[in-house]
Amino acid sequence: ISVLRSHAEGCPERTALIFLLESQTESILSYSQLDTQARAIAARLRDMGLAGERVLLAYPPGLNFVAGFFGCLYAGCTAVPTCLPNRRTLGRFLAIAADAGAQLVLSNARAVMQYQIMAATPHGRSASHSQIPWLATDHIPGALAEQWKPPAIAPEMLAMLQYTSGSTSEPKGVMLSHADLVHNTRAIYDAFGMGRDTGMFWLPTYHDMGLVGGVLEPILAGVTSVLMPPAAFLQRPLSWLAAISKYRATISGGPSFAYDLCFRKITDEQRATLDLSCWSLAFVGAEPIEPETLERFAAAFAPCGFNPAAFYPCYGLAEATLMVSGAVRGGGPTIRAFRDTALTQDRVESVDDDAAGARRLVSCGAPVGDLRVVIVDALSCAKSIPGRVGEIWVAGSSVARGYWRNPDQTRRMFNAHLSGTGEGPFLRTGDLGFVFEGQLYIVGRQDDLLIVRGLNHHPQDLEATARRSHPLLEAGSGAAFAVDDRGGLRLVLVQEVARNTKMDFAPVLQACREAVLAEHGVALHAIV
């Protein structure tokens, strides 16, 4: 709150946020305007007696969400960002609302009306167990801002609940305090080496990377952030890079699939319209990073001025607010090769890139801020010796307080201690990795691990190998998993092919089988 208030007083006319509408027009908020809207919303929330309560944010993409989020903080409420529900996602929305004990839902007038219509249908009435009131914040008069009074907020007070992906019946709300948000955004600021940067983001603002990275981080730095709807990027990947080019954005990024989508969908003619020489930090995270994806993107967009040294691989999770580790700005990605057969046995053996059985991995850099990363044997909870793969444990100031109303999971995940020394508490991430030459490498998820004949295989590795085996296979549209068949595991691959393809699939199936067998030493029992 003090950061935004300071910007509103010190640089009131500076543009805080630009939202790109589908009609190519802009919606703009200055720091003063954002502060005024937040104070007006906060005054209304306090008039309703909601200070200290949980308030859901269910907005369509746009700047109303940002004003609503800060309105909650300005009122001393706990913000609960969530996706605007439709018929498909209504169950999850209601599960989050019930778990959070939310007293109100904030949105804009059009979305409130659409929800009321949906809730009135037989499907909506059957799904909706409780009718939580909705409030359209774009109808709150700005004059209410004068009635706002600063709330008494301690650093350890809850600022937000960030619900993680999971089953509809058991959503988990990560409890993030004001101190957590301040610590992690400051750590990102230092790690990014931020100055007079401009950000460009298409990531959903109700998710941690879109909210902390795309909204809170630029506001902490007092710079401008350009936002666009996620659907606009997914439907037309060129729109993301075109916005970077137009607004001369210096910081932008997303998951690995976003770079692959741009490589596959943007034509040579469209690339000729782009100038990406301004893009000095292209972060990539949130999912396994394939070296080939970075290399293909860098080669394809080099004529547009993109510098591969801008790539900034990073690792994080909502339970640590957002970012845990990252590269060095301007240093580009560190890619090293390791012996695949050793990794299946949880051993780390560095080899040359062209060595037989080499598996290339992208480093996720070093821990940021005061965060500490330890590699631990998941069964014994003992610290792993160097050169071993283990579970990634994290400690530091931006680790969350735990899961909302879930003491058992909180105790298991947030209160881990090393056996022998008793050192802790640590956050158990459930991710598997290792540290090599001071850099963190991620190899997979503990829950996803496929153990075949005593060797560990990560599904994303099998998926990547299969996808590379034939040009008709779609990136990001495959899943490898194991099924239990009379006590034995059988490996299955489900994989999409390029659309409008009319051909004999026998060569594609054969290519998948041969590639997975040759690279990983396991046989695919079925391909769908």
Side-chain angles (χ1 to χ4, degrees), residues 112-461:
V112 171
M113 181 179 66
Q114 290 174 339
Y115 178 81
Q116 290 171 341
I117 294 172
M118 179 177 65
T121 64
H123 173 80
R125 286 195 299 270
S126 64
S128 181
H129 306 298
S130 60
Q131 290 297 323
I132 304 174
W134 286 56
L135 175 65
T137 56
D138 52 339
H139 281 188
I140 295 176
L144 268 182
E146 299 305 316
Q147 300 179 20
W148 175 75
K149 296 179 181 178
I153 291 180
E156 66 273 9
M157 288 176 58
L158 280 187
M160 63 181 287
L161 296 180
Q162 178 69 65
Y163 276 84
T164 61
S165 303
S167 66
T168 298
S169 58
E170 296 181 356
K172 291 188 297 183
V174 178
M175 297 188 291
L176 296 173
S177 68
H178 288 262
D180 293 330
L181 295 178
V182 168
H183 280 299
N184 204 242
T185 50
R186 282 180 174 170
I188 296 171
Y189 182 94
D190 292 338
F192 279 10
M194 291 187 70
R196 299 193 61 80
D197 286 288
T198 297
M200 200 289 127
F201 300 87
W202 56 266
L203 300 155
T205 50
Y206 56 83
H207 278 165
D208 51 356
M209 186 183 277
L211 174 55
V212 178
V215 175
L216 302 187
E217 187 61 39
I219 287 177
L220 174 85
V223 299
T224 300
S225 184
V226 183
L227 308 176
M228 67 188 302
F233 161 68
L234 295 172
Q235 292 165 5
R236 189 170 177 263
L238 175 65
S239 60
W240 173 33
L241 303 190
I244 293 174
S245 179
K246 176 182 177 180
Y247 292 94
R248 311 311 296 153
T250 53
I251 295 177
S252 190
S256 183
F257 88 86
Y259 295 92
D260 183 73
L261 197 62
C262 289
F263 167 76
R264 291 189 294 114
K265 299 298 184 181
I266 298 177
T267 66
D268 290 340
E269 292 77 14
Q270 291 170 332
R271 289 173 191 162
T273 66
L274 300 173
D275 177 4
L276 302 179
S277 59
C278 56
W279 196 1
S280 57
L281 193 152
F283 63 83
V284 53
E287 64 183 15
I289 305 169
E290 292 186 26
E292 295 80 8
T293 297
L294 305 186
E295 290 162 353
R296 284 194 300 264
F297 182 92
F301 292 93
C304 309
F306 180 78
N307 184 348
F311 276 129
Y312 188 97
C314 50
Y315 165 72
L317 65 167
E319 286 83 351
T321 304
L322 178 62
M323 190 169 166
V324 170
S325 68
V328 175
R329 182 169 185 169
T334 299
I335 301 173
R336 295 295 300 265
F338 302 91
R339 194 178 307 282
D340 186 62
T341 53
L343 291 175
T344 63
Q345 301 171 27
D346 292 337
R347 292 184 291 107
V348 180
E349 293 182 11
S350 175
V351 297
D352 293 334
D353 282 8
D354 56 357
R359 179 180 165 195
R360 299 166 72 221
L361 296 176
V362 179
S363 158
C364 289
V368 301
D370 69 351
L371 288 171
R372 180 186 174 204
V373 168
V374 178
I375 306 300
V376 178
D377 181 283
L379 294 179
S380 67
C381 292
K383 185 176 179 180
S384 296
I385 62 174
R388 301 288 296 185
V389 174
E391 185 182 8
I392 299 168
W393 288 17
V394 179
S397 300
S398 44
V399 171
R401 300 312 194 244
Y403 294 119
W404 174 255
R405 290 180 175 172
N406 198 332
D408 292 338
Q409 279 277 60
T410 295
R411 192 161 41 249
R412 189 171 74 86
M413 301 301 293
F414 288 86
N415 196 34
H417 290 75
L418 294 174
S419 62
T421 66
E423 188 180 355
F426 288 93
L427 163 68
R428 301 188 65 160
T429 68
D431 292 316
L432 299 173
F434 60 90
V435 174
F436 182 79
E437 296 180 346
Q439 304 280 300
L440 177 65
Y441 291 81
I442 314 296
V443 298
R445 285 283 299 168
Q446 193 171 11
D447 293 344
D448 295 339
L449 200 61
L450 305 176
I451 304 177
V452 183
R453 296 193 298 274
L455 299 179
N456 298 335
H457 296 277
H458 298 280
Q460 68 268 19
D461 298 335

Side-chain angles (χ1 to χ4, degrees), residues 67-124:
F69 180 86
F70 275 97
C72 286
L73 300 193
Y74 274 42
C77 299
T78 300
V80 186
T82 185
C83 179
L84 180 66
N86 54 34
R87 284 180 171 81
R88 182 176 58 84
T89 61
L90 181 59
R92 174 171 170 80
F93 170 80
L94 294 171
I96 289 174
D99 185 74
Q103 301 298 305
L104 182 70
V105 182
L106 298 184
S107 193
N108 63 16
R110 183 176 180 182
V112 171
M113 181 179 66
Q114 290 174 339
Y115 178 81
Q116 290 171 341
I117 294 172
M118 179 177 65
T121 64
H123 173 80

